[in-house]
Structures are given as structure tokens and as C-alpha cells.
Amino acid sequence: MQIQSRFCSHRLAALLISLTFWSGLPGSGHAQEELRIATSYKLMTLDPHYANLNENTSLLSHIYERLVYQDDRLDLKPGLAVSWRAVSDRQWEFKLRENVRFHDGSPLTADDVVYTIERIRDFLKSPSGGFRSYVTGIESVSAPDPLTVLIETDGAVPNLPLFFSSIFVMNRPAKGFETTEDLNAGHPPNGTGPYRFESWSSGESLRLAGNDDYWDGKPAWSKVTFRVIENPAARVAALSTGEVDVADAIPARDVASLKERGARVASVGAARVNFVQFDVARDTLPGVTDKSGEQIANPFKNPLVRRALTLATDRGILVDKILAGYGTAAAQVFPNGLPGTSAKLLPEAPNYDEAKMLLAKAGFPDGFNLVLAGPASRYPGDAESLQAVAQSWARIGVNAQPAAAPFSVFNTKRAAGDYGVWYGGTSGEAVDIILHTLLASPDPERGTGALNFGKYRNEAFDAMLARAESIAVGPERNAALAQATELVMADQPIIPLYHFHHIVGYGSRIGSYVLHPRGWTTAMQTLPAME
């Protein structure tokens, strides 16, 4: 999830921006005044390893950096590591960048990388495993010299550099491991990034100051303030009135009016998927009843029911009406054409007659009732999508009651098992990362299934995914991932809905805003207008 990075030259040329690094945008040769950003992302913690969520990784990327980053085509590029190579099937060597310093002045060394890996693997206890799945295959890590990291794995891990595009490097303290509680209680975050931490009010704001000693040059802004505004209409209003310079997660319906008021808009297709997920493990589920309100056996254990609900989902309405064309109907976890996707998987038009037949065959000729949960103001069109899916399902006798809640509430209840079926979304560095996290059988030891809240298990898919992950990056690996995706999608543990487009609006003080398909919101993507 690297942000402070070099952007692909072809993309920048198309945007008429002559820049190499996102993180080192020097503007007109000196740092500009304060940048004000309205964001939907609520920073949950100052611990960069606690929760693998976009809001944390996006905002903390100003302070911390990674060994490797992904460009706009999701290809790997040097970050804090200038090079890496597989010494053998079970050994990797990373060479670090020289003359990089943490915000407290201490130099970046290989020992800091050792500490980072050991903190995630051996010390930190985070929800859903956090970043642990990225390091569970690491048997040992050492620092032969200050700029060399040597990693031994317990088997072949050909995709190890990709994992490090998700992990922020922390500075090793004098002793022990820093706790999440200490970091949240006021220990200043100490990274190598282009901005230094100033203050944080959970759920309200994050204030940063430019790091004038940044290894890639002085950042573009002397100060950056993020205001957490979860309501989309309020973000649009703040941008329209000039209270902020940038607003993220703009609803598609507001694009035209923003342009009429003089704001500019940037958009890019998202490397992510939004979906409906089923609990397929428990015998009975909260909110799932027959038409008289009596609890019934879990219908989602039956693949015929899952297939029926898939056929009764109108993705066209979601994309064309709710997203106003700023999205693509989904049939798998990444948009078609990206590495690891299957050209055979295409979105289907709804077929309500066939869906009714499947429901009857599964023993539900009259349908049933359910509560369809989801977050509110987390994703573009999320609450409206709940309503639209519910209306589609009603056509086959499945009465779905939409239940939208703030993401923090929704996330807690989902993890606690309070829902039987829900709408959600996820992004990842690559197809295999999402398959590994969202659809692989939950296994804390292997680090799989961290987002598989439905507890879906498919041994054949697990074996195919493991085989694909054992192949070096390239066409053979991509083909194996496509085959694994075809297998699991035929079983419908989720209903892929759409890949929405990230939309950001910006005002007159901004010269340009460079979007990334991972959907981050950062000062490093924002260039001041030339005076």
C-alpha cells in the first residue's frame, strides 16, 4: 500500500506533470502553506502495524515508508530498499537506501527492518491478524551489515517483495517493543516519511508538518491538516465553500455540481472490489427467518441459495444509477485485465426466473427474510447499494431489511458475528492477496482468511491458491491465480458487485491531484497551483 513513491512516467506525462516521486513534490522550489484535506478516512490508531485498513495505511504513509512500493500499474518499485533479489528458494536479500533518517535524526539501518518484522510476527496482537499474514512465512531475519537485510523463509515465497509493499518500517527503540497503547497515548510516531507528526484527535483530525530533511527533498507543503468528515455531502460542501483544498470519496452524483462551482475532479478505476458476503458456517443466523419471523436453518450453507441471490442481483443499476457510471460491474476480485484476473469471468445480467427456480429447489419456494448489513458513508454509494440489492432480492421472495451503520460500529459487529449476510469492500496489492485474505480458509497459523468473516472453506481452492502462490511472478502465476478464481467464484461464497472509481475533488489552490488505483488520499499526491 505504498504511497510516497515514484509514479509511472507515462501516467504523469498524460497528466502533464513532470515528477518522479510522489513523496518529494517540491512545488516551486519551496514548501507551500498549509494543505487542508477533507477525508472520509478516520484514523483508528497511530500504530502502523495494528490494523490493515486503508484509512490507517493512507494517513500514516505521510509519516512511515515501506521497503517496496507499487506504481499505478501495481508494479513493484524501490522504496526504502533500492534493490532485492532471491538468493535461493528460501532466502531473500534487500539492500537499503543510503542516507535515510528517521524524524528523530537516527539513521535507517537494517536493524530497523529486523525490528519491524519481529514486532509484527512475534509481538503484536492485532485484530484479524493485522499484517501478520505477510510475515508468517519468515523463519528468520538478520542484518549482515547496516544496509543489508537477509530473510530466511520456511518455504518458497516468490512473492515476498510484494508483501513488503504493505509494511511500514519502524525505528527500533532502545529496548523491547513499542506497544499500540504507548503509540496512541502520545509517543510521537517516528518514521522516515516526508511529513512529521504534530497532533491527532481520533475521529476528528490529523496534523502534520513538512520534513525538511526528507531524503527525497523538501515536501510540497509546510503543513497538512486532515479533517475527518464522514458524511459525503459535508465533504462536498467543505470543498465548495473553500474550507478545504481537497475532498476525497466524492459521490458520483455530485461531480457535475462541483464542476459548476469551479472545483476540479480527478477519478481512476479502483483496484478493489465491493461485494456481498455470506456466513456459511453457523447453523442459524441473526436476522434470518422465515416469512412468519421464525428462525430457520442457515440458508447460505446451500450453494443453490447463494447462486439464486447472485442471479437476483442487478449490478447494472448499481453501476449506472448509483455510481453514475463511475464504476465497473464485478465478477471477480479485481477489474478484468489486471494480473491474475480471469477473462472467463464476466458479470451476469439478473435472471429472476432462474433464481426463483433455484430457491425452490433449495427448499425455499416462498423465500425468506434477512437483515442485510453494511457500512454507511464508507464507500461510494454504500447505503444506496444496500437498498438496491434489497429491492432486487425482493423480486424472488427474499425480503432483505437494509441495516447501515457507521463503519466502526459495522466492523465491530461483523467481527462479533452479529450479521448473517453483509455488504463490504476490500482492496489489496494483488489478486492473490485478496484471495488469500477474503476467500481462503481461516487459518491464523498460515495467516489466511483474515477477512473471511463468513468462515467459508474450500480445500480444493486452498490447494490451487497455494500452488499459484508458489510460482514466481509472471504469466504462469497469473494463469494459476485465474484458475483458482474461477473455481471459487463458481461456489459463490461472495457476490462481487462492482469496482468503483475513486473520485477526488480539489480547489483553486491545487495545481493537480494524481490518483492511484489503490485509493489513497495523501499530500504527496497533491501539487500546489503555480503562482
Side-chain angles (χ1 to χ4, degrees):
M1 302 178 181
Q2 178 65 25
I3 302 169
Q4 50 274 20
S5 56
R6 303 183 185 187
F7 211 66
C8 281
S9 59
H10 77 280
R11 184 85 171 205
L12 296 180
L15 293 167
L16 302 179
I17 302 170
S18 178
L19 296 166
T20 308
F21 284 85
W22 283 15
S23 54
L25 305 182
S28 58
H30 61 279
Q32 302 297 304
E33 56 190 79
E34 181 181 13
L35 173 67
R36 305 159 302 167
I37 300 177
T39 182
S40 59
Y41 289 147
K42 181 191 294 184
L43 182 62
M44 299 175 65
T45 175
L46 293 177
D47 187 337
H49 302 150
Y50 184 71
N52 190 4
L53 295 171
N54 234 21
E55 51 263 64
N56 294 337
T57 55
S58 180
L59 298 180
L60 291 178
S61 68
H62 295 80
I63 302 167
Y64 296 98
E65 296 180 288
R66 304 169 176 85
L67 294 179
V68 182
Y69 78 88
Q70 288 182 292
D71 65 16
D72 67 326
R73 291 162 57 176
L74 305 186
D75 292 329
L76 299 181
K77 302 295 180 182
L80 292 179
V82 293
S83 66
W84 52 89
R85 68 187 181 100
V87 179
S88 67
D89 285 346
R90 296 181 54 184
Q91 191 174 72
W92 283 85
E93 178 188 83
F94 289 77
K95 289 290 188 180
L96 301 185
R97 192 177 297 278
E98 296 181 0
N99 301 318
V100 175
R101 292 191 174 273
F102 287 92
H103 296 161
D104 67 358
S106 59
L108 168 73
T109 71
D111 196 43
D112 298 308
V113 180
V114 173
Y115 167 78
T116 293
I117 294 171
E118 291 178 342
R119 181 176 188 264
I120 297 171
R121 186 190 62 187
D122 305 331
F123 173 73
L124 202 63
K125 305 296 182 186
S126 56
S128 303
F131 295 87
R132 186 168 296 171
S133 63
Y134 298 128
V135 298
T136 50
I138 294 177
E139 196 168 81
S140 67
V141 54
S142 59
D145 64 62
L147 294 178
T148 302
V149 179
L150 196 62
I151 295 174
E152 301 268 359
T153 61
D154 58 11
V157 186
N159 219 21
L160 188 67
L162 177 64
F163 295 164
F164 284 105
S165 71
S166 291
I167 295 174
F168 288 123
V169 175
M170 292 182 70
N171 182 225
R172 181 185 285 278
K175 59 180 181 179
F177 293 99
E178 284 190 279
T179 68
T180 300
E181 292 74 20
D182 285 343
L183 287 167
N184 288 341
H187 286 204
N190 184 29
T192 60
Y195 291 91
R196 300 172 183 266
F197 174 81
E198 282 203 337
S199 67
W200 169 56
S201 178
S202 180
E204 295 181 9
S205 65
L206 174 68
R207 298 181 186 278
L208 306 164
N211 176 15
D212 292 345
D213 298 321
Y214 183 51
W215 59 267
D216 191 39
K218 200 171 184 177
W221 304 95
S222 60
K223 290 187 179 295
V224 178
T225 297
F226 283 90
R227 287 177 51 193
V228 178
I229 304 178
E230 293 188 89
N231 182 278
R235 286 196 302 279
V236 170
L239 178 61
S240 299
T241 60
E243 294 177 42
V244 298
D245 304 302
V246 175
D248 66 15
I250 298 295
R253 63 177 178 269
D254 293 318
V255 168
S257 63
L258 270 177
K259 289 182 176 179
E260 288 174 1
R261 291 178 239 173
R264 284 170 290 173
V265 172
S267 68
V268 68
R272 61 171 305 121
V273 65
N274 283 67
F275 53 85
V276 170
Q277 189 172 35
F278 304 103
D279 185 322
V280 299
R282 290 181 286 175
D283 292 332
T284 59
L285 299 173
V288 180
T289 70
D290 63 18
K291 289 300 183 67
S292 65
E294 296 295 322
Q295 192 169 54
I296 59 175
N298 181 355
F300 308 129
K301 285 189 173 186
N302 191 329
L304 293 178
V305 173
R306 303 196 297 268
R307 177 63 179 157
L309 292 173
T310 299
L311 285 172
T313 301
D314 190 341
R315 296 173 176 87
I317 288 178
L318 301 178
V319 171
D320 297 335
K321 303 297 184 183
I322 294 174
L323 299 180
Y326 283 90
T328 306
Q332 53 192 313
V333 297
F334 263 13
N336 285 29
L338 287 178
T341 57
S342 169
K344 298 178 182 179
L345 293 175
L346 300 172
E348 297 177 276
N351 187 329
Y352 299 109
D353 291 336
E354 184 177 348
K356 288 179 181 178
M357 291 173 57
L358 290 174
L359 268 189
K361 188 175 181 180
F364 299 98
D366 299 322
F368 51 88
N369 298 337
L370 59 83
V371 174
L372 179 60
S377 302
R378 168 73 172 178
Y379 309 110
D382 47 16
E384 297 93 333
S385 294
L386 285 180
Q387 295 284 349
V389 171
Q391 290 170 11
S392 289
W393 289 358
R395 297 183 61 170
I396 63 170
V398 175
N399 295 331
Q401 176 187 343
F407 179 70
S408 58
V409 175
F410 165 78
N411 198 36
T412 299
K413 288 189 172 184
R414 179 179 59 177
D418 289 355
Y419 304 133
V421 56
W422 55 90
Y423 161 96
T426 189
S427 63
E429 301 83 353
V431 162
D432 53 305
I433 298 295
I434 296 186
L435 295 176
H436 187 95
T437 305
L438 182 65
L439 296 172
S441 299
D443 186 340
E445 293 299 317
R446 293 179 55 233
T448 57
L451 297 180
N452 184 355
F453 295 105
K455 301 297 186 287
Y456 172 76
R457 294 182 180 275
N458 185 327
E459 292 183 1
F461 167 68
D462 291 340
M464 290 184 72
L465 179 59
R467 177 187 172 275
E469 292 178 325
S470 71
I471 302 171
V473 174
E476 184 182 354
R477 181 190 183 95
N478 292 337
L481 288 171
Q483 291 171 2
T485 301
E486 291 163 9
L487 176 75
V488 74
M489 287 304 159
D491 205 22
Q492 306 284 181
I494 64 170
I495 304 176
L497 297 178
Y498 52 76
H499 314 286
F500 65 71
H501 293 178
H502 298 295
I503 308 174
V504 169
Y506 55 98
S508 60
R509 295 180 63 241
I510 307 303
S512 62
Y513 188 92
V514 184
L515 273 166
H516 190 283
R518 294 296 308 282
W520 299 305
T521 302
T522 76
M524 292 82 76
Q525 296 163 252
T526 312
L527 277 173
M530 301 299 290
E531 297 179 3

